[in-house]
Structures are given as structure tokens and as C-alpha cells.
């Protein structure tokens, strides 16, 4: 009695008020505690970055050699660096650089990699061959080396670092999206929507892309973390953030020299980067699950097996 | 005027191994409101035939050719992609074997229903929603309004196929193609779905091409049957003709395994041997190596389509009247 079982099934779902798919997904995301915490932490970091001049206890670039390498205290909550600059203030201002690098890099690689991957996978044929040859050419270089080369070409500047990191990440994303699209293209539901008269654009955006969103989100969270860390490396090489401007990565790189004398100098940006990366991974995991209705409530699947 | 005219349809695929002639010279016509069965073993070209009719074969690697392919006055071979898009889901619709996979897993059932309604009938949000509820009620889904927000995995296989039927019939098509639509379902649910399609298409006057490898099921549903083998039509006729007066060695074999016409769901197959490789050119009857009733002529020439009586024809040399049941002319 499949029909009766299905009726009972839907009686239980009293929380199924009329809602769009997006609303349902958002509700699902908020039900995930790790994702909610991650989201809250990221929001705080973004707010801190925006309101940095208002909340910073000190000037992040003012040198005060009399106060150099001070351990954490009531005045300098997380101590000072070798120029006597307040670590807390540098972290708050550094969030501006690091978070924008992370966000803009994934935005850039998304808008470059996803269309290439989807087109390549869905259209196939000669377009696919051409695009993938290009993508593979980029993938043969070690990522950091490629980024260095691009920044070297464009000039050492934080905007160019973002462009370079985006260019480095886009091919990876394109490859992934292409593979997922190829798989989705062969699904019966894609043939079914074609049989219902959907246009190619509609199929790609509304059905294929919607189904490959989960792997994209996961890849983007990885990309964000990689961008924050790579910015550090490039800045360390003098290609990114120019001194005395603070950035988490730059400060971390400089702090390495004082690891034994002033461990707080090293720990503060490390933990901050870790916290940001962890938060974005939590949000990413939550998003991945929220975007896939099949993973929402396992209780229903169990009920449904009895029903078939 | 016939709703659909197919003459010498040929669909082939370029593959690494060579050209696969999946459909090779299929001809038939379908009248308004007629229910036509398409039976044959797996690999006989049933799906490729139906996908060709809707021009859903990817070209390349596929290639569709025909002397005539006219649906509702439209030449499908010359139709632009935008004409095809408005026909698909509008005047011609299709349901597939695997109801588990023919709905998009990440979109609500309501979304998938209203998407088609908006596209073809230009209904706005509210009207589409109301119509979607009506459609779900029409196919027997309880608590239809609530179910709009459910996702496919929250439905059983039978319920999902009902949803597919609701979507396929939502714009009142002239033709519904059901490709093994009940094969994945268990027998009771299968019978319910068959009844539903039968009732709805009769009420709406929709013509149906019902594809199945299950002869018994087709017998209970269709007016006419095309028996396919190796990408060709082996025999065509009314259900009575084909069942009581089978005139092709392959049909005889099929019926041998389906003892009673009124038994829905009887398993088919188990004619010894395998269908031919469709890459190799076919010069004699493709069923010959497996045929139990072959005669000398079969080793010499390819049989033409022989008319046995009006509306009943078979591509076979042998005289099979010994298999014909008495009193069932
Ligand atoms: N895209 C394709 N490329 C190559 N061969 C194909 C393709 N689609 C179908 N075929 C071949 O066409 C033949 C008929 O397939 P199909 O119509 O799916 O059979 P049926 O639906 O009767 O089981 C099979 O031999 C199959 O291998
Ligand atoms: Mg098939």
C-alpha cells in the first residue's frame, strides 16, 4: 500500500509550510549548529574588518620601538611586534586584506571556472576539447609559481595578487565542474526536462548547475583557505601587501623570525587564520548539505523504504 | 489526418567500434487517440525510436534520417530547435523507465510541475500552483497541496511515476510516449499506473506509444502492436492479430513465453541466443540465427514486409499458420 504509506509520511511533516526551495535550504542551513557558528564567526570578522577604525585599540602601523615585542597585557591584549605595533589592531585591519582576498579570489575563480566547466561539459565536442586544452595548460604549472609569474607580469600589488590567485584556482574549478556536468548531463532527469521542452540555458542553469552546486561549494571553501594562505606567501615574497600594511598572512610570515622570543606574535595570526578557515569550512559543509535535499532528514528515507 | 507518420526512420550512432544502426527502416502511423504498443527485447531500438521521434538524440554522435517524419502537420526533420522545444512537453510528452531518476532530485515536485506549466501555458505563479495541485490530485496523489513542497526522494517509486505522468500530461499533449514506464515498479503498482494512464489518456484523447518488453502488459492496453527486432519492425498488427495469428518467427518465440493474453506482467525473454550486433551489416533476417521456424528461403534472401491481412504484416518467409489459434480470425 504505497499510497497509504505516503500519506502517513506527509502527515508527519507538520513543518512543511509552503515555501520555496531556497527558503527550505536556508532553514536547513540554520538547523546545522556548526554552520551557524561558522556563519556567526565570519559575520563578526567581516564586521570587524568594516568597522576597523572604530574598534581598533591602537594604530596598526604606528611604530613605537620603545614598546617592541611586548607580551600580551592590559594595554596590548595580544602583545606587540618587533616595531612595537599592536597585534590586535593589526589583526583587525589585516582582516580587511585577508577576507577580501579570500572572497574576491573565489568570486573570481567562480565566475571564470564555472562557466568554462559547465559549457565544456554540457556542450562537449570541439568547444570542450579547446577549453580543456587551455585549462590543462594552466594546470601543468605549480600553482604558487604560476601566481608569482602572473603577479610579476602585472606588478606587485594586492589587486594583482587576487587576480593571480583567481587565475590559478579557476582551472581546478573548471575541471571539477566539467566532470560533474558530464555526469549530470547523462542523468535521466536531464533528458526528461529536455523532453519537456526546456531550453539549453534553462537546463544548464536550472538543472545541471543546481545539481553540481555541492561540489562547487566544497571546492570554493578550499579555494578561500588556499587564497588566504597564498596571499601570505606572496606578501612574504614582497609581491602582495606592501609593508607596513597589515595582513594576516604577512604578519604570520614575519612572526616566524620571533617564534621563540615572542610566540604570541606567531600564534595570533595563525589561530585567526585557522578560525576563519574552519568557519568557512563549516559553512561550506552546511551549504553542501542544505543544497542537497536528499541529505536533509534521514528519518524520512527510513520511512520511505518501508513504503516501497 | 494521422497524428504521426513515420516512414523509413533510420537512427545511427557513430562509436569507436563503428556505426551502430540502432533503428533501421522503421515505418508506422499513429492516429489521434490511438494506443500503440512497441515491444521487443532490450536493445531492439525501442528507446532510440521514441527519442528520435522527439528529436532528443544528441547529434553527433547520433544521426536521425527518415523519408518522412511528420507529427501533427509539422515536419520534425526540418523543424527548428525552438519549434521542437515548444512541441516537447506541449504537444508531445514522454515518461521514462526509472521514476527514481527522471525527476530532478534537488528541486521540489511543485517547482518541476510549475516550470513546465509556466513555459508552455504561460501561467503565472499562482495559476501554475493551482493547476499543479489539480494535476497531482488528478493522478491520485493525496494531500496534493502539501506535496508540492516535497522532494522526489520523499515519494515512493509509484508515486514518483504518478508525478511524472502529471508533468507529462500537464499541457494536454496529443501524444504521450511511455518508455518502459512501469518496468521498474512492482506488479501491483504497475497495474495501478497502467490503469491511470489508460483512464487519463482516454479522457483527454491523448495518443499513446507504450513501450515495453512485456507483451502481456501491452495486450491489455493497446489497440495495435509493433514488434521490434534489431532496429526494425518485425511484425505489426492489431493486438488480436499479433497474439492469435503471430506471423513472424520472433513473435512466435515471444508468445511462447507469454502463455495467456490476459495475464498482465508475465515475464518475457528466454528465446535462445542473443540479438545481432548492430554494427555489422544485416543482409538476411536478423532473427535467423535464433529462429525455430526458419525455412530454406530464410538463408537466401531478406524477407520483405508481407501483408497477411489488412493491417497485419510481418517481415518473415515462413508460413506460420500452424501457430494460429483456431476460431480467432
Ligand atoms: N548513444 C548511443 N550510442 C551508441 N549506441 C547506442 C546509443 N543509444 C543506443 N544505442 C544502441 O542502440 C541499440 C538500441 O537501443 P535502445 O533503443 O535503447 O533499445 P531498447 O530501448 O529497445 O532496449 C542498442 O544496441 C544500443 O546499444
Ligand atoms: Mg529502452
Amino acid at each position: 500500500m504505497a499510497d497509504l504509506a505516503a500519506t502517513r509520511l506527509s502527515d508527519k511533516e507538520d513543518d512543511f509550510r509552503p515555501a520555496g526551495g531556497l527558503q527550505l535550504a536556508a532553514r536547513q542551513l540554520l538547523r546545522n549548529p556548526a554552520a551557524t557558528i561558522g556563519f556567526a564567526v565570519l559575520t563578526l570578522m567581516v564586521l570587524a574588518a568594516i568597522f576597523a577604525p572604530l574598534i581598533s585599540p591602537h594604530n596598526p602601523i604606528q611604530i613605537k620601538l620603545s614598546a617592541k615585542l611586548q607580551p600580551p597585557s592590559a594595554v596590548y591584549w595580544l602583545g606587540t611586534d618587533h616595531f612595537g605595533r599592536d597585534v590586535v589592531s593589526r589583526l583587525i585591519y589585516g582582516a580587511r586584506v585577508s577576507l577580501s582576498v579570500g572572497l574576491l579570489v573565489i568570486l573570481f575563480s567562480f565566475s571564470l571556472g564555472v562557466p568554462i566547466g559547465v559549457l565544456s561539459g554540457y556542450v562537449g565536442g570541439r568547444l570542450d576539447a579547446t577549453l580543456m586544452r587551455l585549462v590543462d595548460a594552466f594546470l601543468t604549472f605549480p600553482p604558487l609559481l604560476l601566481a608569482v609569474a602572473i603577479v610579476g607580469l602585472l606588478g606587485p600589488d594586492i589587486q594583482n595578487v587576487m587576480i593571480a590567485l583567481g587565475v590559478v584556482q579557476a582551472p581546478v574549478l573548471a575541471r571539477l565542474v566539467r566532470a560533474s556536468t558530464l555526469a549530470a548531463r547523462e542523468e535521466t532527469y536531464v533528458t526528461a526536462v529536455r523532453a519537456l521542452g526546456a531550453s539549453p540555458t534553462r537546463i544548464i542553469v536550472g538543472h545541471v548547475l543546481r545539481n553540481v552546486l555541492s561540489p562547487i561549494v566544497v571546492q570554493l571553501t578550499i579555494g578561500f583557505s588556499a587564497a588566504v594562505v597564498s596571499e601570505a606567501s606572496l606578501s612574504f615574497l614582497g609581491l602582495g601587501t606592501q609593508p607596513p600594511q597589515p595582513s594576516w598572512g604577512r604578519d604570520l610570515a614575519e612572526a616566524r623570525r620571533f617564534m621563540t622570543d615572542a610566540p604570541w606574535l606567531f600564534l595570533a595570526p595563525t589561530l585567526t587564520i585557522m578560525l576563519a578557515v574552519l568557519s568557512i569550512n563549516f559553512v561550506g559543509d552546511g551549504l553542501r548539505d542544505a543544497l542537497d535535499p536528499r541529505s536533509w532528514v534521514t528519518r524520512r528515507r527510513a520511512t520511505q523504504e518501508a513504503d516501497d | 489526418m494521422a497524428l504521426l507518420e513515420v516512414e523509413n526512420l533510420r537512427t545511427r550512432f557513430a562509436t569507436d567500434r563503428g556505426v551502430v544502426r540502432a533503428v533501421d527502416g522503421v515505418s508506422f502511423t499513429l492516429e489521434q487517440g490511438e494506443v500503440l504498443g512497441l515491444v521487443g527485447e532490450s536493445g531492439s531500438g525501442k528507446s532510440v525510436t521514441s527519442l528520435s521521434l522527439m528529436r532528443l538524440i544528441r547529434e553527433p554522435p547520433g544521426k536521425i534520417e527518415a523519408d518522412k517524419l511528420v507529427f501533427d502537420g509539422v515536419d520534425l526533420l526540418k523543424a527548428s530547435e525552438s519549434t521542437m522545444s515548444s512541441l516537447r512537453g506541449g504537444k508531445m510528452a514522454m515518461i521514462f523507465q526509472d521514476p527514481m531518476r527522471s525527476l530532478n532530485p534537488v528541486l521540489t515536485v511543485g517547482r518541476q510541475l510549475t516550470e513546465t506549466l509556466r513555459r508552455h501555458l504561460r501561467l503565472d505563479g499562482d495559476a501554475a500552483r493551482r493547476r499543479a495541485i489539480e494535476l497531482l490530485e488528478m493522478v491520485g496523489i493525496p494531500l496534493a497541496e502539501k506535496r508540492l513542497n516535497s522532494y522526489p526522494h520523499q515519494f515512493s517509486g509509484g508515486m514518483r511515476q504518478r508525478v511524472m505522468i502529471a508533468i507529462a500530461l500537464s499541457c494536454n499533449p496529443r501524444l504521450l510516449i511511455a518508455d518502459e514506464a512501469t518496468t521498474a515498479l512492482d506488479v501491483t503498482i504497475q497495474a495501478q499506473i497502467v490503469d491511470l494512464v489508460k483512464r487519463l489518456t482516454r479522457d483527454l484523447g491523448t495518443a499513446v506509444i507504450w513501450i515495453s518488453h512485456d507483451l502481456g502488459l501491452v495486450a491489455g492496453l493497446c489497440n495495435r502492436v509493433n514488434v521490434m527486432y534489431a532496429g526494425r519492425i518485425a511484425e505489426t498488427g492489431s493486438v488480436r492479430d499479433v497474439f492469435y495469428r503471430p506471423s513472424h518467427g520472433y513473435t512466435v518465440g515471444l508468445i511462447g513465453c507469454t502463455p495467456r493474453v490476459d495475464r498482465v506482467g508475465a515475464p518475457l525473454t528466454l528465446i535462445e541466443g542473443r540479438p545481432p550486433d548492430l554494427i555489422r551489416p544485416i543482409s538476411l533476417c536478423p532473427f535467423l540465427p535464433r529462429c525455430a521456424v526458419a525455412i530454406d528461403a530464410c538463408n537466401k534472401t531478406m524477407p520483405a514486409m508481407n501483408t497477411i491481412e489488412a493491417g497485419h504484416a510481418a517481415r518473415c518467409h515462413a508460413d506460420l499458420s500452424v501457430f494460429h489459434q483456431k476460431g480467432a480470425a
Side-chain angles (χ1 to χ4, degrees):
Chain A
M1 291 311 294
D3 294 9
L4 277 183
T7 314
R8 261 187 277 117
L9 184 65
S10 74
D11 280 340
K12 273 194 223 151
E13 293 153 22
D14 287 328
D15 58 332
F16 256 65
R17 297 179 294 267
L22 259 182
Q23 258 173 291
L24 292 175
R27 211 178 286 165
Q28 202 62 35
L29 185 65
L30 290 177
R31 234 176 248 172
N32 178 334
T36 313
I37 293 172
F39 192 72
V41 170
L42 285 177
T43 310
L44 282 179
M45 286 184 168
V46 169
L47 288 177
I50 294 172
F51 297 109
L54 296 179
I55 59 173
S56 286
H58 300 271
N59 182 332
I61 56 173
Q62 193 170 46
I63 296 173
K64 193 173 168 195
L65 289 174
S66 60
K68 74 175 185 178
L69 293 178
Q70 302 242 331
S73 66
V75 185
Y76 303 110
W77 302 334
L78 292 176
T80 60
D81 68 4
H82 54 296
F83 287 123
R85 297 174 301 197
D86 178 40
V87 170
V88 170
S89 305
R90 287 189 69 82
L91 286 180
I92 292 174
Y93 272 91
R96 291 185 154 186
V97 173
S98 297
L99 292 181
S100 353
V101 168
L103 287 175
L104 290 175
V105 165
I106 61 173
L107 205 71
F108 189 79
S109 70
F110 179 89
S111 39
L112 202 66
V114 170
I116 292 179
V118 167
L119 274 182
S120 207
Y122 192 81
V123 178
R126 205 171 298 161
L127 182 72
D128 180 33
T130 314
L131 287 176
M132 281 307 114
R133 201 159 301 163
L134 203 75
V135 161
D136 285 341
F138 274 94
L139 285 175
T140 50
F141 296 102
L144 201 58
L145 200 65
L146 183 61
V148 168
I150 297 173
V151 179
L153 215 67
L154 298 175
D157 161 50
I158 194 65
Q159 262 137 34
N160 294 339
V161 165
M162 293 182 200
I163 294 173
L165 293 176
V167 169
V168 168
Q169 288 191 10
V172 182
L173 197 60
R175 266 268 168 222
L176 175 90
V177 171
R178 174 182 176 270
S180 310
T181 305
L182 274 180
R185 192 182 87 159
E186 299 309 322
E187 292 281 354
T188 314
Y189 64 77
V190 170
T191 312
V193 243
R194 283 174 71 213
L196 289 168
S199 67
T201 322
R202 181 87 209 102
I203 294 171
I204 289 177
V205 176
H207 294 273
V208 174
L209 201 55
R210 181 65 186 74
N211 270 281
V212 303
L213 221 50
S214 291
I216 293 178
V217 164
V218 173
Q219 184 60 38
L220 288 180
T221 55
I222 297 172
F224 180 91
S225 319
V228 171
V229 176
S230 305
E231 185 271 332
S233 313
L234 292 174
S235 295
F236 185 65
L237 295 173
L239 294 172
T241 316
Q242 300 300 316
Q245 291 307 321
S247 100
W248 296 345
R250 232 202 111 68
D251 288 4
L252 167 63
E254 280 187 16
R256 275 194 286 215
R257 286 168 30 215
F258 308 98
M259 205 125 86
T260 39
D261 301 336
W264 63 87
L265 251 190
F266 178 76
L267 276 176
T270 306
L271 292 178
T272 310
I273 292 176
M274 268 174 63
L275 190 63
V277 167
L278 212 61
S279 303
I280 195 122
N281 284 348
F282 281 161
V283 174
D285 280 357
L287 269 178
R288 186 197 56 209
D289 291 344
L291 289 172
D292 184 356
R294 283 162 297 186
S295 70
W296 285 1
V297 181
T298 35
R299 169 177 58 88
R300 280 189 206 130
R301 196 173 296 148
T303 326
Q304 195 220 310
E305 263 158 29
D307 164 32
D308 273 318
Chain B
M1 192 188 66
L3 176 67
L4 174 69
E5 291 176 82
V6 182
E7 236 176 80
N8 197 14
L9 173 68
R10 288 150 286 153
T11 304
R12 52 175 200 259
F13 296 95
T15 69
D16 299 339
R17 289 177 52 232
V19 176
V20 176
R21 294 178 197 283
V23 172
D24 199 4
V26 163
S27 305
F28 64 92
T29 58
L30 185 72
E31 301 298 328
Q32 306 274 355
E34 189 182 352
V35 182
L36 173 73
L38 208 56
V39 292
E41 283 168 298
S42 162
S44 55
K46 308 179 299 291
S47 296
V48 173
T49 302
S50 55
L51 292 172
S52 303
L53 297 180
M54 298 198 64
R55 285 245 322 258
L56 287 173
I57 301 279
R58 268 178 211 284
E59 297 179 87
K63 178 86 186 133
I64 304 173
E65 286 173 331
D67 296 349
K68 191 172 189 185
L69 195 59
V70 177
F71 170 77
D72 204 31
V74 179
D75 184 343
L76 298 181
L77 290 170
K78 297 211 182 85
S80 66
E81 193 45 38
S82 74
T83 307
M84 285 314 300
S85 286
S86 62
L87 284 179
R88 292 180 198 133
K91 284 188 169 172
M92 58 199 327
M94 187 161 176
I95 48 180
F96 297 85
Q97 168 166 352
D98 196 348
M100 198 78 168
R101 298 174 147 208
S102 40
L103 288 164
N104 189 332
V106 300
L107 298 180
T108 61
V109 159
R111 230 330 264 293
Q112 303 190 55
L113 261 162
T114 50
E115 183 180 319
T116 307
L117 292 168
R118 283 159 177 256
R119 178 161 55 240
H120 291 291
L121 305 181
R122 309 242 164 263
L123 296 184
D124 66 20
D126 242 19
R129 208 182 134 79
R130 275 197 306 275
R131 176 84 180 117
I133 295 170
E134 272 173 34
L135 285 163
L136 287 184
E137 282 166 354
M138 176 182 89
V139 296
I141 288 182
L143 299 166
E145 189 166 359
K146 257 184 164 180
R147 294 308 241 156
L148 284 185
N149 296 318
S150 301
Y151 287 86
H153 71 274
Q154 295 169 296
F155 288 75
S156 67
M159 296 298 255
R160 259 190 295 247
Q161 201 58 299
R162 283 171 193 262
V163 172
M164 282 311 296
I165 293 169
I167 296 177
L169 295 180
S170 63
C171 302
N172 226 330
R174 306 311 311 144
L175 170 65
L176 174 70
I177 302 177
D179 188 353
E180 307 261 14
T182 60
T183 306
L185 306 173
D186 73 52
V187 184
T188 16
I189 312 283
Q190 190 169 339
Q192 289 171 9
I193 298 291
V194 170
D195 279 348
L196 181 70
V197 171
K198 209 165 159 176
R199 180 167 57 78
L200 292 177
T201 53
R202 195 180 50 216
D203 293 352
L204 300 168
T206 316
V208 179
I209 297 181
W210 188 277
I211 297 178
S212 177
H213 59 256
D214 185 340
L215 257 180
L217 195 146
V218 166
L221 186 69
C222 303
N223 316 118
R224 237 163 19 101
V225 191
N226 284 338
V227 179
M228 282 193 74
Y229 189 78
R232 300 133 194 260
I233 292 181
E235 179 162 358
T236 175
S238 70
V239 167
R240 289 188 70 81
D241 287 342
V242 172
F243 274 86
Y244 292 115
R245 303 164 65 79
S247 301
H248 191 288
Y250 180 56
T251 320
V252 169
L254 285 185
I255 292 172
C257 309
T258 311
R260 276 174 48 209
V261 176
D262 54 358
R263 236 186 75 194
V264 172
L268 162 109
T269 64
L270 303 184
I271 304 172
E272 294 268 308
R274 318 189 93 259
D277 182 358
L278 297 174
I279 292 179
R280 308 239 302 270
I282 290 173
S283 54
L284 294 172
C285 171
F287 188 60
L288 180 60
R290 305 168 70 189
C291 189
V293 298
I295 59 174
D296 284 349
C298 301
N299 287 307
K300 296 191 182 102
T301 56
M302 172 83 98
M305 201 64 157
N306 294 317
T307 304
I308 290 112
E309 62 239 315
H312 183 196
R315 210 183 282 276
C316 188
H317 283 308
D319 173 11
L320 299 178
S321 48
V322 291
F323 292 99
H324 296 178
Q325 297 190 14
K326 292 191 184 75

